[in-house]
Amino acid sequence: MIGASALEVRAIPPRKTGEFCGFTDAVQILQSTVPYSGPVRLTCPMAAGLYLWEREVVAPAAEKHLGSRVVRVDHMGTYSCRRIGGGTTGRPSEHATANAIDIAGFRLEDGRRITLASDWSDGSDAERAFLRAVRDGACDLFRVVLGPDYNAAHRDHFHFDMGRFGTCR
């Protein structure tokens, strides 16, 4: 079928798990353009943004910079009932409403593994160019994109969310 989406999701019932935690209008991604290292449960806008990012940003950047296809995205989690920075005070994290994902790296068809922890600063020119391309492309799809250039807490992953604020760092 021409133009059909590879994205397949299952609706998740709304859930409240804490004072500021829970979600509505969330889905579990069952299938996308590439598999993920673990379950992906997100709000509908985040799931749609992630699919577009895989298809329109990650796939072309991998071919251009690395000459190989991405066959898996490694992530560090989506829903987590917590505040920004994990403290006991402050604003709730977008993770607390299933409105964020943390991406740690990528597995390639040729067997390579590209990670932010190892390759953001110390990778080859091509690996660094790929990671910057997927970060920069994410800025067009998500409200917040944070990575190693933002702060030490993000030294090993990209944080993407659809929150109220906008920044790309």
Side-chain angles (χ1 to χ4, degrees):
M1 183 175 187
I2 295 175
S5 171
L7 184 63
E8 184 181 330
V9 299
R10 177 179 50 88
I12 300 172
R15 183 164 57 168
K16 179 125 174 101
T17 60
E19 174 189 349
F20 55 83
C21 298
F23 48 80
T24 59
D25 300 322
V27 295
Q28 177 169 343
I29 295 176
L30 302 175
Q31 179 179 321
S32 197
T33 63
V34 294
Y36 283 77
S37 57
V40 176
R41 296 176 185 100
L42 295 165
T43 61
C44 289
M46 273 300 299
L50 200 59
Y51 173 72
L52 290 173
W53 176 72
E54 294 166 15
R55 192 181 76 187
E56 305 296 326
V57 177
V58 175
E63 287 295 329
K64 176 182 178 181
H65 297 289
L66 303 171
S68 187
R69 232 173 34 87
V70 170
V71 295
R72 186 173 99 178
V73 175
D74 294 329
H75 77 93
M76 299 166 74
T78 55
Y79 178 74
S80 176
C81 184
R82 62 182 172 87
R83 296 183 185 279
I84 293 175
T88 57
T89 61
R91 238 180 27 241
S93 168
E94 290 297 320
H95 287 283
T97 57
N99 204 29
I101 189 168
D102 291 335
I103 304 291
F106 306 86
R107 307 286 174 119
L108 304 180
E109 189 172 49
D110 65 13
R112 284 182 286 172
R113 183 172 182 225
I114 309 298
T115 68
L116 278 90
S118 296
D119 301 311
W120 181 260
S121 297
D122 298 327
S124 69
D125 289 346
E127 291 163 345
R128 290 192 322 269
F130 166 73
L131 290 173
R132 279 152 182 81
V134 298
R135 188 265 323 265
D136 294 349
C139 295
D140 294 330
L141 298 167
F142 302 100
R143 297 274 300 137
V144 172
V145 174
L146 304 175
D149 290 342
Y150 180 64
N151 65 13
H154 294 87
R155 72 190 171 286
D156 60 354
H157 69 279
F158 294 131
H159 168 92
F160 302 155
D161 77 47
M162 290 290 196
R164 298 175 302 199
F165 305 100
T167 192
C168 179
R169 297 177 55 189

